[in-house]
Amino acid sequence: MSASRSDPSPVPPLLLVRDLAVSYGGAPVLQGVTIEVDAGSVAAVVGANGAGKTTLLRAISGVLGFHRGRIVGGSVELAGQVLRPSSNGGAEAAGRVRRGIALVMEGGRVFPGLTVDENLRSGAPGRRHRERSDAARARVLDLFPALAPLGHTPAGRLSGGERQMLAIGRALMSSPRLLLLDEPFLGLAPKLVEQLQEFLRTVKVGGTAVVIAEQSAEAAFAVADRAFVLAEGTVAASGPAPDIARRDIGRLYLPGPRPSSTATASTATAADAAAVPQERVALLEVAGLSLRFGPVTALDGLTMQVAEAEIVAVIGPNGAGKTSVLNCVNQLYRPSAGSVRLAGTELTGLRPWEVARLGIARTFQQPALVAHLDVVGNLLVGRHRLMTGGLLGHALRLRRWRREESTHRCRCEEIVDLLGLGRFRGRPAGQLAYGIQKVVELGRALAMEARLILLDEPSAGMSPEETDQLARGILDLRADRDVAVLMVEHRVGLVGRLADRVIVLDHGRLVAAGPTAETLADPEVERVYLGRPAGPQPEAAR
Amino acid sequence: MTKLVQLVFSGVAIGALYGLVALGFVVIYRASHVVNFAHGSFLLLGTYLTYGFHQEIGIAFFPALGLAALAAGAAGLVVERLALRRMVGQPVFAVIMMTIGLAVVIDALVVWKWGAGRLSVGDPWGVSAFRLGGDAGIRVAAGAVLAAYALFCRFTALGITMRATASDQEAAVASGIDVGRVHAVCWAIAAAVGTVAGVLLASGPRGIDPTLSAVALAAFPALVLGGVDSPAGAVVGGIVLGLVEVLTAGYLPGLLPGRLGANVHTVVPYLVLLGVLLLRPSGMFGDREQARL
């Protein structure tokens, strides 16, 4: 694909980042970064959280000023022309969109109050010609047919996957020459990941250059021509993507091998596979659970159980209602029908905080931390329900309460060490990279000493090492304190490694359930969820 | 019964005006999260400009109003460009202080040019060919402006970019929306809408004097009642406020003793405000920081 790279061509590359240095308020984030991307090619920028991937995309797209970042050295060139930073952040980014650079931020950032159509229209600002913007819209809907019937739906009601499609679609409305994608595969079901990869292959045939910043290098390397490995703000390695994937440095950032999922298979042979194995005690019992938003049925008569100290994964395509299950368990949503019990106690009708007090902790797809508190502070928030001293006692700093607080602090420090968060200990949570925030959020759930932890896409946005650390943390925790886990997760590898049982949803209904290995091998599950013929996935190095 | 109907009608008229004034705050707050304490002064400036164009230069009333709205809008644009844009990213408190400073400056300029005395715009809404009758005219004019704003937001490209900016500024910047320009446009719209509101307030017996800028503060409960970031909320909040005020002024003095009864209508709107805020801290239509979880 990039065979022509050997003959030196007089045409400058579409994107040339030369010796770029960026700092935020004096703190250097990027140093001496040089990257070249030709028209019609895909470049993957991989690296751990905090390596500076997002900052690089911000510098290219001109939104750095919005984040109080500054280019302190080097340059960004588009087709041979230097893009000068301007003092006016808003105008700078707008100018670059007009020149054909479009950025898709991580996490499917759409405008929730605007409809899908309005979101798309806002992606082509300054487009006076209605028919040209209509043509661009038709192309986008052609690429993402799932969005077509949703034109008048507020974007806030879309599922995670639909949002990601909409965010990419909005960027395409300006017909970019250079498309910058920040973690585009984050939280997408395998089927959608493949669709997106397919889309990227078509886009580059049309001459568009694409830069993908990704933690999960596997998905990016499948479509990338060249790869750049970023580590602590510098390019640690670069070269043709397959070479990088094969080399040691590349392996560092690649996901571990998919474990043969037989390793964790449970011995259950219960008739109703969604129920817990007979010899175990059900901790969470969900019966006939339905959830409707107006005409939309998110969950339809779901019955399932989680045993004490059991890890259960809920999988299914985007929009299947996976997150809704978690939201109904902790009563963020009021189920339309059915019951949810924790160790026999009915949860429906309780307030979310009452459910939390009964011992159910949860994490969110988008981390919800107290931005100005440091990591330990956020964990202490999680221990709130365990603190006995009243407000007055704490305010007066009586000795007993000081002792209590230091006990809690110790426990939090243990969790910080368990999750490897030591070097972020004193930083305000709002400043941490997305993946780190997700680990802190898990830490907060651990700090609650919960009996059941609900995890919503715990690995999304995490590098493979972090995912590995997280997986070990979850297993240790279960072994240590008999905590049960109900998780929504897309990475089949992680599901195979962690889950005792798997529950497969599609359109709010139970499609299949059972021990992890058997269920993942079920042809029906392959069809609905994995979207590929049965058999192990092609594996990268290691 | 007739008394009730009368009171309801005039309550709605006053309320529509409050709503119009509150809309000026909402437009700017939504775009830039700045509470513009100079809004009352832009309203004052626009009203005096209308007076100047109409009475001093002799332009017909409606063209004069249009010109004044444009001029006030231009003033809003300039102020945003010269002063507010440099404050992006500065502490909210500093920005608010700046708007208070602006208010003082604009008020002083108006007094310097036109004096502090009471002037009359006459009864422009009753011009013979256009006799709608006091209250009705106000309702129609306020309704027309509000409807125009709603249509603008929903259907024009600029309106959509304004809503996009209100929704997620960072994503708007990344989508190539020139957020600075959107802010400027919002300041212009707010000043122009304020001009119409000011002229409506000043027409009829009230006349204009520099205290007119204080009505902006009287519209504050409407703003908070409806939700600072909701245009629809501003209108509904305004009408609720107007009704409460007029109805309490109409009925309560007879029911309460002496001095308490005579002034109670100025207090009741704030009691309603307190009640609404206790139940719904973001106002009736405010964004409750909703997130899909």
Side-chain angles (χ1 to χ4, degrees):
Chain A
M1 256 161 248
S2 53
S4 63
R5 289 210 52 78
S6 49
D7 59 314
S9 108
V11 183
L14 183 69
L15 173 71
L16 175 60
V17 174
R18 208 196 295 258
D19 214 13
L20 188 73
V22 172
S23 71
Y24 291 108
V29 177
L30 291 181
Q31 252 158 358
V33 170
T34 297
I35 279 178
E36 227 184 281
V37 185
D38 290 327
S41 77
V42 176
V45 176
V46 299
N49 276 314
K53 302 186 299 295
T54 298
T55 301
L56 176 62
L57 297 194
R58 282 176 183 164
I60 300 170
S61 63
V63 298
L64 207 53
F66 189 85
H67 298 272
R68 313 244 196 134
R70 231 158 50 81
I71 293 182
V72 289
S75 64
V76 178
E77 295 168 27
L78 185 72
Q81 276 190 304
V82 177
L83 301 175
R84 306 211 171 279
S86 103
S87 60
N88 185 345
E92 180 177 348
R96 297 210 179 163
V97 170
R98 276 195 297 277
R99 293 179 123 187
I101 303 180
L103 167 69
V104 179
M105 288 188 295
E106 82 186 317
R109 285 274 282 275
V110 295
F111 302 121
L114 275 62
T115 65
V116 168
D117 271 345
E118 288 168 344
N119 264 282
L120 291 178
R121 281 186 69 188
S122 72
R127 276 271 166 103
R128 303 254 181 272
H129 301 293
R130 191 63 189 261
E131 64 271 25
R132 264 173 65 197
S133 118
D134 282 351
R137 182 170 158 272
R139 274 201 307 277
V140 168
L141 294 183
D142 210 39
L143 282 167
F144 301 118
L147 296 178
L150 299 169
H152 297 291
T153 312
R157 294 231 197 96
L158 300 183
S159 73
E162 288 162 345
R163 283 180 180 219
Q164 187 63 276
M165 288 189 260
L166 180 56
I168 294 172
R170 186 178 62 195
L172 292 175
M173 287 295 287
S174 60
S175 312
R177 288 195 280 171
L178 174 64
L179 184 61
L180 309 171
L181 302 172
D182 199 356
E183 305 275 349
F185 300 112
L186 198 85
L188 294 189
K191 209 171 176 173
L192 261 176
V193 168
E194 292 203 346
Q195 278 178 22
L196 191 54
Q197 287 169 338
E198 194 48 48
F199 152 72
L200 289 172
R201 289 187 194 106
T202 29
V203 156
K204 78 174 191 185
V205 170
T208 306
V210 183
V211 179
I212 307 175
E214 262 293 342
Q215 310 254 351
S216 71
E218 190 191 18
F221 280 6
V223 286
D225 302 307
R226 289 183 71 77
F228 300 87
V229 180
L230 225 54
E232 297 185 355
T234 56
V235 178
S238 67
D243 293 359
I244 293 286
R246 245 175 271 122
R247 277 165 54 192
D248 278 0
I249 186 84
R251 194 193 297 161
L252 190 64
Y253 298 97
L254 282 175
R258 270 177 214 301
S260 59
S261 27
T262 46
T264 48
S266 116
T267 55
T269 48
D272 181 1
V276 301
Q278 276 162 350
E279 71 277 9
R280 303 179 74 167
V281 186
L283 176 68
L284 178 77
E285 296 165 278
V286 173
L289 188 69
S290 294
L291 176 69
R292 277 178 279 278
F293 302 106
V296 181
T297 302
L299 291 175
D300 194 2
L302 176 70
T303 297
M304 55 166 281
Q305 296 182 344
V306 180
E308 277 173 1
E310 191 185 25
I311 301 179
V312 175
V314 181
I315 63 172
N318 290 101
K322 304 182 296 292
T323 300
S324 295
V325 175
L326 302 190
N327 284 339
C328 283
V329 168
N330 76 344
Q331 300 298 316
L332 270 172
Y333 291 164
R334 290 287 157 101
S336 318
S339 85
V340 180
R341 288 158 171 270
L342 182 76
T345 311
E346 181 64 51
L347 302 182
T348 47
L350 295 184
R351 306 281 186 163
W353 63 83
E354 291 169 329
V355 174
R357 289 199 169 180
L358 289 173
I360 297 185
R362 89 158 277 184
T363 64
F364 295 91
Q365 257 173 346
Q366 298 286 338
L369 297 171
V370 185
H372 65 272
L373 284 182
D374 64 9
V375 170
V376 176
N378 269 288
L379 299 194
L380 276 170
V381 169
R383 290 191 78 78
H384 164 251
R385 80 171 178 111
L386 305 168
M387 298 194 184
T388 50
L391 186 65
L392 194 63
H394 282 292
L396 297 175
R397 304 219 130 241
L398 300 180
R399 192 189 304 154
R400 198 184 121 210
W401 286 289
R402 277 213 304 274
R403 206 178 316 130
E404 191 195 343
E405 190 181 323
S406 78
T407 319
H408 286 300
R409 226 166 236 287
C410 279
R411 182 73 188 102
C412 291
E413 297 286 351
E414 275 172 48
I415 293 167
V416 165
D417 292 338
L418 175 73
L419 295 175
L421 289 169
R423 70 194 172 101
F424 304 106
R425 205 178 300 260
R427 301 254 305 271
Q431 283 181 9
L432 300 174
Y434 182 84
I436 309 286
Q437 289 197 20
K438 304 238 357 171
V439 184
V440 176
E441 210 177 42
L442 176 73
R444 186 171 60 187
L446 299 187
M448 276 179 66
E449 310 280 345
R451 298 153 82 186
L452 172 66
I453 297 185
L454 311 174
L455 301 176
D456 201 352
E457 306 221 1
S459 80
M462 286 194 183
S463 66
E465 312 95 274
E466 284 160 357
T467 309
D468 186 59
Q469 205 165 35
L470 177 83
R472 266 183 283 136
I474 294 173
L475 289 172
D476 283 356
L477 185 85
R478 188 254 296 262
D480 244 35
R481 351 199 131 218
D482 286 352
V483 179
V485 175
L486 179 60
M487 60 193 254
V488 169
E489 177 58 53
H490 278 309
R491 284 196 196 173
V492 182
L494 189 64
V495 169
R497 179 166 168 197
L498 287 180
D500 303 317
R501 282 189 303 126
V502 168
I503 285 170
V504 187
L505 294 185
D506 191 21
H507 293 104
R509 286 167 177 275
L510 190 73
V511 184
T516 306
E518 291 163 37
T519 313
L520 290 180
D522 183 340
E524 175 68 6
V525 175
E526 291 276 345
R527 188 187 63 72
V528 169
Y529 176 56
L530 301 168
R532 63 171 73 87
Q537 282 193 33
E539 200 49 70
R542 195 187 279 212
Chain B
M1 193 62 204
T2 23
K3 182 181 179 190
L4 177 66
V5 173
Q6 261 176 5
L7 288 177
V8 166
F9 269 78
S10 70
V12 170
I14 292 181
L17 275 180
Y18 281 140
L20 211 51
V21 176
L23 181 66
F25 284 103
V26 171
V27 169
I28 289 177
Y29 183 83
R30 266 166 66 89
S32 55
H33 288 254
V34 170
V35 177
N36 175 21
F37 282 95
H39 185 59
S41 304
F42 279 104
L43 178 152
L44 187 71
L45 178 67
T47 312
Y48 271 100
L49 284 171
T50 311
Y51 172 83
F53 288 132
H54 182 49
Q55 301 284 28
E56 292 172 358
I57 301 179
I59 304 173
F61 175 72
F62 285 102
L65 175 61
L67 270 179
L70 283 179
L77 212 71
V78 169
V79 162
E80 196 282 334
R81 188 72 192 82
L82 292 184
L84 270 298
R85 193 161 313 176
R86 291 159 203 270
M87 300 297 286
V88 169
Q90 300 304 315
V92 176
F93 183 71
V95 182
I96 288 177
M97 287 314 291
M98 175 170 253
T99 66
I100 292 177
L102 272 173
V104 173
V105 172
I106 296 174
D107 284 1
L109 284 175
V110 166
V111 171
W112 169 68
K113 172 75 180 73
W114 283 284
R118 175 161 301 192
L119 303 168
S120 170
V121 237
D123 180 19
W125 303 99
V127 273
S128 51
F130 203 75
R131 180 159 290 284
L132 290 163
D135 281 4
I138 290 175
R139 276 194 296 275
V140 169
V145 172
L146 294 170
Y149 175 74
L151 293 174
F152 170 79
C153 278
R154 183 141 311 268
F155 293 109
T156 66
L158 190 56
I160 289 173
T161 57
M162 273 168 60
R163 284 163 58 213
T165 308
S167 167
D168 185 337
Q169 201 150 326
E170 185 188 354
V173 167
S175 312
I177 292 172
D178 186 342
V179 173
R181 219 183 98 216
V182 169
H183 288 180
V185 168
C186 288
W187 276 76
I189 290 176
V193 168
T195 302
V196 176
V199 169
L200 287 171
L201 281 166
S203 59
R206 193 193 182 287
I208 1 173
D209 61 57
T211 62
L212 193 62
S213 62
V215 277
L217 295 181
F220 238 80
L223 182 73
V224 182
L225 206 57
V228 231
D229 51 7
S230 162
V235 177
V236 176
I239 289 175
V240 168
L241 180 71
L243 281 173
V244 168
E245 194 177 304
V246 170
L247 290 176
T248 49
Y251 286 109
L252 278 188
L255 302 174
L256 293 170
R259 243 180 263 164
L260 178 59
N263 292 314
V264 75
H265 69 277
T266 56
V267 179
V268 171
Y270 287 91
L271 291 179
V272 173
L273 179 69
L274 282 175
V276 169
L277 286 185
L278 284 175
L279 294 175
R280 299 183 65 99
S282 306
M284 293 186 293
F285 297 85
D287 187 356
R288 274 172 292 161
E289 299 278 317
Q290 278 177 345
R292 191 178 185 275
L293 298 168

